[in-house]
Amino acid sequence: MPRASRLLAPEGTSAMPHTRATPGWLARLGLHRPEPRAWVMYDWAISSVFAVIMSAVFPIYFVKVAGADLPESRATQYWSIANAVGSTVLAVLSPILGALADFAALKKRSMALCMTLGASATAAMFLIQRGDVWLASVLFVFALCGASGSMTFYLSLLPHVARDRAVDRVSAAGYAFGNVGGGLMLAVSLAWIQRPELFGSRTDDSTLPARLSFVGVAVWWVLFSLPTFLRIPEPPRLSGTEGHVGSNPVRAAFTRLGDTLRALRGYRQAALMLLAFMSYNAGSLTIVKMAAAYGTELGIGQGDLIAAVLLVYVVGIPFTLLFGMFAGRMGAKRSIFVGLLIYTGISLLGYVMKTAAHFYMLAILVGMVSGGTLALSRSLFSSMIPRNKSAEFFGFFGMCEKLSGIFGPLFFALAIGVTGSSRWAILSVSVFFGVGAVLLARVDVKAAHSASPASQGP
C-alpha cells in the first residue's frame, strides 16, 4: 500500500501493516508511528524562532539596541506595531494560501517556501546595529510571516498524521517537543550572550553574541525541519477537488475558499471555536510577545529576562504533556478553561510586577498553561473539520491566530498611549480571556463531532 494511503488509513483498519512494538511511552504520546514522530520535529525546529526571536532575545535587542535612540516606552510601541503589521499580512494571506495548498497538494512545498523566507530574514538580523529600528522591524515582519505562515501548513498536516483518538496527544507532544527544542536553543543563546568567551568570541562588540544567536536560530530551524519534509509524504488531493481538475490553480483556490466560507456556516461549532480562540489567543500572544519588552522597560536585567523565558520552556515540557493527558480524561474544552483561569491570574500578576522574582513567577505560570492551551485548541479544532479541506480550515485558524496577533499588540499599544503606562496595558489583557471563556462555553463539542468528524474523507 502506498505510504500516503497508509498515512490516511483510519485507526483499527487492516490497511496498516503489522509493525514492531514500540516503547510504551511513545504509544502514550501518540508517537508510536514514524509519521507523527517526524511531524513533531518541526515543532522542535521552529520553536527556536518563537523562543529567541519572538519572545526573549530579539525583543530585548529591539528595545535596547535597534531602538536605542528612542524612549523605551516608544520602542515598546514600535515592537507592538511590528507584531501587528506581520500578523495583518498573515491574516489576509493564510486562508488563500491554505486553499491553494489543498487544491494543488502543496502543503509541504508551501511550508518549505515560508520556512525559507523566515529563516533568511532571521539570519539577516545579524546585520542590525544600534538605531536600526526600521531594519529590525522589516526583518522581524518577514521572520514572523515565514514562521507563522509555515505553521499554518504544518498544522494542516495534523489530521493526516494523527488518528482521531490520538490527535490531542500528538498535538500536545508536538508542543512539548517544541518546548525542548526552543528551550535548548534559548539556553545556548543565553550562554552565548552571558559567556561569549566560551564560544571563542573575544571581540569588543557587545552585540555580536546576540547577532550570532540569530544566525544560529536560522540554522537550527532549517536543520531540524528536515525529518518532517523527508519522512511525511505530501497528502494527496482529496475528495472535493475533482470538479476543479484542469482549472487555473489560483482561480480554483479562490473558488474553494468561497466554498469553504459558505460551508463554514454548516460547521457552526467550529466557527464558534475560532471566535473563542481568536479572543483568548489575543491575550496569550500579547503576554508572550510583550513580556520581555515590558520587563526591560521595568528595569529587569537582561540575564533574568532571558532566563525567565527559558524557564517558560522548561516548565512547559511536562505541563503540556499533562494537559494532553487531562484532555483524555476531562476533555479538551474543560482543560482549556483551566488554562484561561490561570492566564487571568498572570495578567493580574503582570500589573503588580516589580522585581525579577515576580517575573520568574510569571514565567512559571505562563509555562504551565501556554503550551497546553494552544496544543489543545489546535487539536480540538482539527477534530471539528473535514480532513479533505484541512489546509483551508487551518488557513482560517491561522487567520484568526494572526488577527489575535493584531488585536492584542495594538490594544496593548493603544492602552499605553491612553494611560501612559504599560502596567494598565498588561492588566487590560485579561478582557480577552474573559470574552474567550464566554464564547468557548457555548461550543458544543459533541455536536461538532457529529456534524463533521475529523475522519471525514478517505
Side-chain angles (χ1 to χ4, degrees), residues 45-348:
I46 199 172
S47 288
S48 64
V49 186
F50 293 113
V52 177
I53 305 301
M54 312 297 176
S55 302
V57 179
F58 190 71
I60 299 171
Y61 191 88
F62 189 98
V63 173
K64 288 290 189 181
V65 180
D69 299 331
L70 301 170
E72 287 191 339
S73 60
R74 185 69 171 171
T76 304
Q77 275 190 312
Y78 269 86
W79 177 247
S80 297
I81 293 170
N83 274 281
V85 169
S87 297
T88 301
V89 173
L90 286 162
V92 173
L93 293 181
S94 289
I96 300 171
L97 294 176
L100 181 61
D102 268 338
F103 171 79
L106 292 173
K107 292 181 177 70
K108 286 176 59 181
R109 276 175 282 183
S110 301
M111 182 175 157
L113 180 62
C114 288
M115 182 191 70
T116 301
L117 171 67
S120 299
T122 301
M125 289 175 176
F126 177 84
L127 304 174
I128 299 171
Q129 302 286 348
R130 179 183 175 90
D132 291 337
V133 68
W134 285 107
L135 176 62
S137 298
V138 170
L139 290 178
F140 175 76
V141 167
F142 279 114
L144 175 61
C145 288
S148 298
S150 71
M151 283 298 290
T152 296
F153 302 108
Y154 165 67
L155 293 176
S156 73
L157 295 172
L158 178 59
H160 301 278
V161 301
R163 291 156 180 182
D164 300 342
R165 285 175 292 207
V167 68
D168 285 335
R169 287 176 290 145
V170 172
S171 182
Y175 210 97
F177 270 73
N179 278 354
V180 177
L184 284 175
M185 189 62 223
L186 184 56
V188 171
S189 298
L190 177 60
W192 212 328
I193 293 168
Q194 298 290 84
R195 300 290 301 276
E197 67 276 6
L198 296 178
F199 298 85
S201 178
R202 303 184 185 280
T203 177
D204 293 332
D205 183 358
S206 61
T207 68
L208 182 61
R211 292 189 292 121
L212 286 174
S213 73
F214 304 150
V215 177
V217 167
V219 173
W220 179 288
W221 184 2
V222 174
L223 180 63
F224 286 107
S225 68
L226 292 179
T228 306
F229 289 106
L230 295 176
R231 189 65 184 86
I232 298 176
E234 176 70 51
R237 180 185 293 165
L238 300 179
S239 60
T241 64
E242 295 85 350
H244 300 294
V245 172
S247 303
N248 178 281
V250 176
R251 182 183 304 166
F254 274 97
T255 300
R256 281 176 59 82
L257 182 59
D259 293 342
T260 301
L261 274 171
R262 288 186 291 273
L264 197 58
R265 300 174 186 173
Y267 301 100
R268 183 177 179 277
Q269 303 306 320
L272 192 57
M273 173 64 197
L274 283 178
L275 291 176
F277 172 74
M278 183 167 63
S279 180
Y280 64 71
N281 194 56
S284 173
L285 285 178
T286 303
I287 287 176
V288 171
K289 289 183 176 182
M290 302 309 302
Y294 176 52
T296 301
E297 182 181 335
L298 295 181
I300 297 174
Q302 175 179 274
D304 285 321
L305 290 172
I306 298 176
V309 175
L310 176 59
L311 185 60
V312 171
Y313 284 83
V314 173
V315 172
I317 296 168
F319 275 93
T320 300
L321 295 175
L322 284 174
F323 261 85
M325 294 177 186
F326 289 154
R329 296 187 177 185
M330 58 189 294
K333 178 178 171 180
R334 291 180 180 176
S335 300
I336 293 172
F337 273 124
V338 173
L340 298 185
L341 180 62
I342 296 176
Y343 261 127
T344 303
I346 290 170
S347 181
L348 296 173

Side-chain angles (χ1 to χ4, degrees), residues 1 26 67 75 194 352 371 444:
M1 188 174 189
L26 286 177
Q194 298 290 84
V352 301
D444 189 333

